[in-house]
Amino acid sequence: MGVGDPPGMAIAHSTASGMGGMRTAGDLVARMQMTRGMKIGESKEYVAGKLGVSVMDLVDPVLMTEIRQDLNLGLTTPLPNYAKGMEAKFNIADVLGIEINSVAKFKERTKHGG
Amino acid sequence: MKRHLVRKGDGSFTELTESELKKELEEGTKDAADRAKVQPLAHDELEFLYDIFTYPSKFASVAMGNEVILTYDAATLKLRRVGVSTHRIQSLQVYEKLLGADTLEFDHVDYSFKPVKPIITFEQPELEQALLVTTLPLFYGAQPNLGLYNQPDGPCPNPGDLFAAGKIKEAQESQEQAVEYAVNDLVEVGSAMYESGADGINFDTTGAAGDTDFLATLKAVEILRTKYPRMCIEVGMAGEFVLGMHGGLSYDGVRLAGLYPHKQVELAQKAGVTIFGPVVNTKTDRSVPWNCARAVTFIKECVKISKIPIHADMGMGVGGLPMVDHPPTDAVSRASKAMVEITRLDGL
């Protein structure tokens, strides 16, 4: 993205072209670009396959909230007894079949790794 | 005769007739094609741009299903810059929960690798705390900023002074020394933040100090890629072509000065970059349609040849956007849609 006040930059691009972050599956698709170097089409198909939904479903905040709740992948509006922050990233790593650096470090530091 | 309200690169409104608007688009793509020696946009792509800029609504967006990933430079600074008194971790939470961000970036207010190095032990624990409470992928970002290695701010004799004195060889030697110092800092800070748990490192505004800046970054990426094969490394550029401040530097046998985005990305791939962020500068005295047609032409070629994800820089003064602090959403949204749906890139 780039320089500019949040309404003119972050919000404008997010509304015009963004996937929606953790309201939808934006963070999950981003992780496939970041960990596997996948292009946008491939990363969306990969995530859709892992979640058992269509590519179009990935940007539906209604359906994705339910899926994120079912799989415990972190929610925009936090609910009691559901995964948040680091806890959610443990589940995201499992569902997507990827290593998340901060999860690996957490395991190392708590002696739960291996 | 119907006139269409569009913006200029300085953000001000102007009106164009149908033929004037079409001419702006044609001239914009031709300018990019001539400079970078790439194909201009096709007739149907210019028609698509025409439709975007004559669309009467205040805001434009991509068709459902065409959304892309957003990465951010200096994200935690954007709230502080507008005077909102939030801690950096709170800023990340604002991006995650309120701004619809797909990724996050943690950074220091000085936003350069060199000043971060002596305070790295303060940066790491805060990043580690941020990682505990956020869910989105989190980058650590800063600028290579080779200018900081020149006197009086740094150890190397100032090449600007040496060039002015006609000492060309001495100026180039000073720049080459700065590259070595910078590589060391980029690798040290990048390694520390990755060891702390960052999902990726973002080298932002690469090339701001010219070919020395780009070379230092490519060398640092190469070292980090060998050291951490799984690390996500994003390199975002500073300008549309690499300035030849040294003029004689090359990477992998390719001279760096004068490279346009589609040539820059080839070297980025070779070095081990995961995500590349090309830049196209805005010309403030031309219209936003002219600038968009021009920017899209450069980036389309970059996307076409790239094997890695492309996230074009779409901030103020780049990517076809006006050069203003508060970018008007009518222009931002049109540029955003044009860039995504014509180039088919992977993110912004």
Side-chain angles (χ1 to χ4, degrees):
Chain A
M1 201 173 287
V3 175
D5 65 324
M9 186 52 45
I11 295 173
H13 279 304
S14 174
T15 309
S17 306
M19 286 206 65
M22 63 186 291
R23 298 182 80 229
T24 60
D27 59 326
L28 311 181
V29 174
R31 287 198 182 277
M32 300 321 299
Q33 289 195 355
M34 294 174 67
T35 58
R36 303 270 178 92
M38 291 178 177
K39 297 271 216 167
I40 187 72
E42 190 187 1
S43 52
K44 283 181 181 179
E45 282 170 16
Y46 182 92
V47 173
K50 289 291 182 184
L51 301 182
V53 299
S54 73
V55 166
M56 286 293 282
D57 290 336
L58 296 176
V59 288
D60 177 359
V62 178
L63 181 65
M64 281 309 304
T65 297
E66 288 180 15
I67 289 172
R68 294 189 79 110
Q69 195 169 332
D70 290 346
L71 299 174
N72 225 349
L73 304 181
L75 297 163
T76 300
T77 304
L79 295 175
N81 302 316
Y82 279 85
K84 297 165 193 68
M86 179 60 74
E87 299 162 345
K89 287 188 280 194
F90 269 72
N91 297 333
I92 290 169
D94 284 345
V95 167
L96 295 183
I98 58 172
E99 180 180 293
I100 293 179
N101 192 28
S102 58
V103 171
K105 297 295 177 194
F106 186 100
K107 289 177 179 173
E108 265 177 44
R109 291 171 195 150
T110 54
K111 308 295 181 195
H112 285 94
Chain B
M1 186 181 295
K2 186 170 172 55
R3 298 181 74 83
H4 301 287
L5 194 62
V6 299
R7 299 220 182 235
K8 288 176 64 179
D10 64 3
S12 63
F13 275 123
T14 188
E15 289 186 345
L16 298 174
T17 64
E18 180 180 327
S19 60
E20 286 170 339
L21 176 52
K22 286 185 174 174
K23 192 175 173 205
E24 284 291 280
L25 296 171
E26 286 163 8
E27 288 181 2
T29 189
K30 184 176 183 307
D31 186 79
D34 289 348
R35 286 173 189 271
K37 297 181 177 57
V38 298
Q39 285 293 309
L41 297 179
H43 178 71
D44 62 327
E45 292 167 329
L46 291 172
E47 287 288 309
F48 184 70
L49 281 174
Y50 179 82
D51 289 345
I52 290 174
F53 284 105
T54 54
Y55 181 59
S57 296
K58 186 178 170 183
F59 200 88
S61 70
V62 299
M64 286 177 73
N66 287 348
E67 296 87 351
V68 295
I69 294 302
L70 304 178
T71 44
Y72 301 77
D73 59 335
T76 53
L77 306 184
K78 301 285 166 61
L79 299 189
R80 186 166 178 175
R81 195 174 288 159
V82 293
V84 176
S85 304
T86 51
H87 186 276
R88 285 189 288 179
I89 294 175
Q90 291 169 324
S91 295
L92 294 174
Q93 291 174 314
V94 168
Y95 271 87
E96 179 169 282
K97 296 298 183 83
L98 307 184
L99 300 183
D102 295 312
T103 62
L104 301 172
E105 190 193 281
F106 187 87
D107 33 57
H108 185 257
V109 70
D110 218 330
Y111 206 51
S112 297
F113 282 93
K114 181 171 175 269
V116 168
K117 190 174 159 183
I119 57 161
I120 195 72
T121 51
F122 288 83
E123 288 292 272
Q124 287 177 281
E126 202 166 317
L127 177 100
E128 290 165 11
Q129 289 179 63
L131 287 162
L132 291 172
V133 297
T134 57
T135 302
L136 301 186
L138 178 56
F139 286 90
Y140 186 82
Q143 298 180 0
N145 203 349
L146 269 278
L148 291 180
Y149 295 87
N150 301 332
Q151 294 171 1
D153 300 312
C156 302
N158 194 301
D161 294 342
L162 293 169
F163 278 129
K167 297 180 177 176
I168 309 299
K169 187 168 177 293
E170 290 85 343
Q172 290 180 320
E173 285 172 354
S174 174
Q175 289 175 308
E176 289 160 20
Q177 184 60 60
V179 169
E180 298 311 313
Y181 287 137
V183 169
N184 184 48
D185 290 351
L186 269 53
V187 170
E188 190 166 328
V189 172
S191 299
M193 301 318 280
Y194 189 68
E195 293 286 352
S196 275
D199 291 287
I201 303 298
N202 182 21
F203 294 98
D204 183 51
T205 323
T206 294
D211 45 0
T212 53
D213 210 299
F214 193 33
L215 180 63
T217 306
L218 292 171
K219 284 185 162 189
V221 169
E222 203 176 82
I223 295 167
L224 287 169
R225 174 58 63 226
T226 304
K227 195 172 172 186
Y228 305 108
R230 292 181 175 180
M231 177 193 260
C232 174
I233 305 173
E234 181 168 14
V235 167
M237 298 300 288
E240 67 193 34
F241 71 93
V242 180
L243 293 167
M245 303 304 281
H246 179 289
L249 297 177
S250 60
Y251 179 80
D252 199 38
V254 179
R255 185 167 176 255
L256 299 178
L259 292 183
Y260 279 96
H262 66 294
K263 294 293 182 186
Q264 296 163 11
V265 72
E266 289 182 332
L267 299 185
Q269 284 175 182
K270 279 182 186 166
V273 169
T274 315
I275 298 172
F276 182 66
V279 165
V280 179
N281 302 91
T282 291
K283 197 166 180 181
T284 54
D285 62 352
R286 296 301 299 256
S287 69
V288 166
W290 182 90
N291 278 294
C292 268
R294 186 173 179 277
V296 165
T297 304
F298 280 119
I299 303 300
K300 186 184 167 199
E301 186 67 18
C302 183
V303 173
K304 190 174 140 190
I305 67 156
S306 178
K307 295 181 179 65
I308 58 176
I310 298 293
H311 288 202
D313 190 340
M314 296 287 287
M316 75 160 190
V318 292
L321 270 60
M323 183 71 169
V324 287
D325 264 341
H326 307 118
T329 55
D330 52 282
V332 174
S333 62
R334 280 166 175 75
S336 196
K337 175 179 173 67
M339 187 62 74
V340 170
E341 295 194 320
I342 294 178
T343 72
R344 297 291 169 178
L345 81 181
D346 310 280
L348 302 175

